[in-house]
Amino acid sequence: MMEIIVFGTGEVGKNAASLLEQDFHILFFVDNDEKKWGTQFFGYEIKNPVEIKQYDCDIVIASLRYGIGIANQIEQMSISRERIFFFRRFMEEEQYGYEMYPLIAEKIERIDQDLIQYDLYHTKECKTKCKKVLIFCTFFSTYAKQLIENISDRYDDVEFSILTNAETYKYQIKSDQLKHIYCFRTMCDLKTILEQLPVYDAMQLLWIEREWACFYQLIRMKTRRLNLNVGGSDFYRTDMAEKDFKKNLIACADGITAETEGTVAEFSSYYGKEAANKTNLLPFGIEVLERIDERRAISKQLLRKKYHIPQDRIIVTCGHNANSEHQHGKLIDALIHLREEIKKQIVCVFPMTYPEGCGVYINRIEERLKETGLTYVILREFMDFQQMAEYALISDIMLHVQRTDQLSSTMLEEMYAGSVVLAGKWLPYESLHRMGIFFLDVESVMDITQTVEMVVLNIEEYQKRCKGNRDIIHNHSSWDILASRWHALWE
């Protein structure tokens, strides 16, 4: 059995331990956290990374966020690139599988399988007069769904395809103009698909993900126009090594878009010549805005009853999903310090309807809330656009203090519906102020305490100041306004 060393003892390392030991002899794990050295990890010793130099076996990197940086670290130890592999876990037929793929992308092997076998519709590519646009997004995203459906509703000259990991698109997107969904599991699958694709009129990468950066040359060969869209996670939540790994993909793109002026400026500054003169502002449209307008006439009392929220309290919405990036623990710390007279006037609502797999985290937050004396509601069931609109209409105050973000559509929905939003000043939202949108900045999460008290005591005054937000956000984020600009990207 082949020997390997695994680098990384975080969440990915936990997955790697049980899967890799089925086919390999794991010598030990290594980690940059010296506090872990000498301890055990799933029955394996954790050692100092310098120990790698004493062995001739391959090294498997079990880290998503820091993988490229770790690869650079290993190379600086004079270890051949050919010995460095990444670990990926994927779901196939309701079971987890895994792959080790090489750092050297050219060494990823192609599979002997026809393109049609990867298409969830199993249809052949055919020539049409429509513009052929391939959307890239590894996971299921409502942004991809809204983009395809809203452009299809307004234009009949575009034929869409999707390249993804997510079979969910087959059941979620309603558009006769979606012709192919190419679904890959492994990097070998991805290379096989890309090599067999025809040349597209345009390829639209919704986020600058590592998978696409690995195959930037092949992607560039397969399209007449290559567009990238900057996401918060692929820019603000990656380290320098990961950003630099994506430079070649960014350099060969024809156009790059981002959702805020702040992100456009920061992205252009970081990448310099690679992004020069081709990075522009273009938000996604927000379909929920239309649903909000459709349901404004519904009684708020009825909606509160529907979502099991007390009728006599001011609703304070805490974040908008179950991701720990929303800093729920710190939010609770700040809310605990509210004066008792304020606590008696509010109900804290924690929308935790997505992503999947966060049950343990949600339960931990609820256990914490039980100890606080706060009146609270946790929303767990996934919401469709109509339900999201209904909730936005009854929310009074929204606390949005993610660690990083580019632009939150849920925050804009709440602003559009009339909520008073308190957002972290560290987020790149200054351009929203310049547009005339009213919301309050907080310097730190703990500043929430004083600011919430101020708003609760003067809620009617602050809600009046928010009334102008509706028209501004419509012009900024309505698909009626933005569809033509997205369509023009593919000319």
Side-chain angles (χ1 to χ4, degrees):
M1 188 177 284
M2 185 181 297
E3 295 180 336
I4 60 171
I5 297 168
V6 184
F7 200 131
T9 58
E11 287 300 314
V12 180
K14 292 177 183 178
N15 300 328
S18 59
L19 292 171
L20 289 173
E21 66 184 3
Q22 299 175 24
D23 300 303
F24 298 92
H25 176 50
I26 301 175
L27 294 177
F28 52 86
F29 279 71
V30 297
D31 198 281
N32 283 323
D33 184 353
E34 62 182 65
K35 294 178 182 178
K36 296 181 178 181
W37 299 346
T39 63
Q40 293 289 305
F41 184 74
F42 289 87
Y44 299 97
E45 185 179 359
I46 303 175
K47 296 186 177 183
N48 186 327
V50 299
E51 298 287 335
I52 293 174
K53 294 191 289 186
Q54 300 181 30
Y55 296 82
D56 294 325
C57 61
D58 291 331
I59 299 95
V60 180
I61 299 171
S63 174
L64 289 176
R65 186 170 184 179
Y66 304 109
I68 299 298
I70 290 172
N72 292 346
Q73 177 184 345
I74 296 171
E75 283 193 84
Q76 290 169 8
M77 296 164 64
S78 300
I79 292 172
S80 168
R81 290 169 60 88
E82 296 192 353
R83 291 172 52 195
I84 304 174
F85 291 79
F86 294 104
F87 170 87
R88 285 182 77 248
R89 186 178 74 162
F90 56 87
M91 181 67 78
E92 188 170 40
E93 296 180 353
E94 299 185 355
Q95 290 187 338
Y96 283 117
Y98 78 91
E99 69 168 332
M100 287 168 47
Y101 70 93
L103 171 64
I104 304 172
E106 291 77 13
K107 294 179 71 64
I108 296 175
E109 297 181 357
R110 172 184 168 157
I111 299 171
D112 185 19
Q113 184 165 305
D114 291 337
L115 179 63
I116 197 171
Q117 298 303 315
Y118 288 100
D119 181 10
L120 298 183
Y121 294 145
H122 298 292
T123 56
K124 290 185 177 180
E125 290 270 1
C126 59
K127 292 183 178 180
T128 68
K129 293 183 179 180
C130 291
K131 291 189 283 288
K132 295 167 71 70
V133 178
L134 180 61
I135 305 293
F136 287 62
C137 186
T138 59
F139 53 94
F140 177 76
S141 170
T142 59
Y143 289 102
K145 170 181 166 66
Q146 289 187 64
L147 178 63
I148 291 171
E149 290 181 346
N150 280 279
I151 297 300
S152 298
D153 286 346
R154 293 166 174 83
Y155 299 93
D156 60 6
D157 63 342
V158 181
E159 176 184 295
F160 288 105
S161 298
I162 302 176
L163 182 56
T164 185
N165 285 335
E167 295 187 13
T168 317
Y169 285 112
K170 183 177 180 180
Y171 312 104
Q172 292 289 336
I173 294 183
K174 299 175 183 177
S175 171
D176 292 336
Q177 290 167 231
L178 177 59
K179 302 300 183 182
H180 306 278
I181 303 174
Y182 296 111
C183 196
F184 69 95
R185 293 289 176 265
T186 68
M187 295 294 279
C188 296
D189 289 334
L190 179 55
K191 184 174 185 179
T192 304
I193 293 169
L194 287 170
E195 287 186 344
Q196 295 184 73
L197 285 174
V199 175
Y200 276 76
D201 295 305
M203 288 183 172
Q204 182 69 53
L205 280 58
L206 292 194
W207 288 276
I208 308 172
E209 301 178 78
R210 185 188 300 177
E211 287 86 347
W212 320 138
C214 286
F215 294 112
Y216 73 93
Q217 292 173 308
L218 193 49
I219 289 171
R220 179 68 266 187
M221 289 170 55
K222 292 290 183 170
T223 184
R224 297 184 180 90
R225 179 171 180 83
L226 178 59
N227 297 321
L228 314 180
N229 182 72
V230 183
S233 59
D234 59 39
F235 182 59
Y236 291 113
R237 299 178 193 170
T238 58
D239 60 17
M240 185 179 296
E242 181 87 13
K243 289 185 177 73
D244 291 347
F245 177 71
K246 296 172 180 176
K247 276 186 176 180
N248 290 326
L249 176 61
I250 289 159
C252 71
D254 296 299
I256 303 168
T257 55
E259 291 199 81
T260 67
E261 292 176 359
T263 303
V264 169
E266 291 179 56
F267 188 88
S268 300
S269 175
Y270 185 89
Y271 284 106
K273 63 180 181 180
E274 284 85 4
N277 303 317
K278 59 184 180 183
T279 305
N280 296 291
L281 176 68
L282 180 56
F284 284 97
I286 302 175
E287 196 166 321
V288 176
L289 302 186
E290 297 175 25
R291 305 292 192 277
I292 290 172
D293 288 336
E294 292 169 359
R295 307 192 75 74
R296 283 187 188 273
I298 298 176
S299 162
K300 290 191 177 183
Q301 286 74 23
L302 288 176
L303 292 178
R304 281 176 176 251
K305 184 176 181 180
K306 178 176 180 177
Y307 294 101
H308 309 289
I309 296 172
Q311 297 285 349
D312 58 345
R313 301 285 184 112
I314 293 170
I315 297 175
V316 179
T317 302
C318 303
H320 63 76
N321 66 41
N323 193 312
S324 60
E325 285 290 314
H326 285 273
Q327 307 191 85
H328 298 103
K330 289 186 177 181
L331 266 178
I332 293 170
D333 289 340
L335 293 168
I336 288 172
H337 287 88
L338 292 171
R339 286 178 286 166
E340 290 302 317
E341 64 184 272
I342 301 295
K343 290 180 184 178
K344 291 177 181 179
Q345 296 182 58
I346 68 171
V347 54
C348 300
V349 179
F350 289 76
M352 293 188 160
T353 62
Y354 72 97
E356 295 180 354
C358 294
V360 173
Y361 178 74
I362 295 172
N363 291 338
R364 190 163 71 243
I365 295 301
E366 182 161 26
E367 288 302 311
R368 179 77 196 288
L369 284 166
K370 288 177 181 177
E371 302 170 351
T372 63
L374 293 166
T375 302
Y376 69 89
V377 174
I378 295 179
L379 302 177
R380 295 174 181 260
E381 298 298 321
F382 184 79
M383 291 183 177
D384 59 23
F385 287 161
Q386 175 180 302
Q387 292 167 323
M388 291 165 66
E390 290 174 347
Y391 181 76
L393 284 165
I394 58 174
S395 177
D396 297 302
I397 300 168
M398 181 188 186
L399 311 181
H400 182 66
V401 290
Q402 281 186 218
R403 291 188 183 91
T404 63
D405 189 34
Q406 180 181 189
L407 183 63
S408 166
S409 60
T410 307
M411 179 185 73
L412 292 178
E413 291 159 15
E414 292 243 357
M415 290 174 169
Y416 187 77
S419 293
V420 183
V421 170
L422 281 60
K425 195 169 184 178
W426 56 90
L427 298 170
Y429 295 162
E430 183 56 37
S431 60
L432 300 182
H433 282 304
R434 290 197 295 272
M435 289 165 55
I437 296 175
F438 175 79
F439 61 99
L440 298 170
D441 294 309
V442 291
E443 294 282 353
S444 70
V445 180
M446 290 310 296
D447 288 340
I448 287 289
T449 308
Q450 182 178 356
T451 312
V452 166
E453 289 189 347
M454 177 178 66
V455 175
V456 168
L457 292 172
N458 302 278
I459 187 67
E460 292 183 2
E461 176 188 338
Y462 280 102
Q463 287 175 335
K464 287 179 183 177
R465 297 178 70 180
C466 292
K467 285 187 175 180
N469 290 347
R470 182 178 174 182
D471 289 342
I472 299 171
I473 292 171
H474 178 270
N475 291 332
H476 178 269
S477 299
S478 166
W479 276 114
D480 286 338
I481 303 296
L482 294 172
S484 61
R485 293 174 58 191
W486 278 96
H487 183 263
L489 285 181
W490 309 319
E491 296 292 344

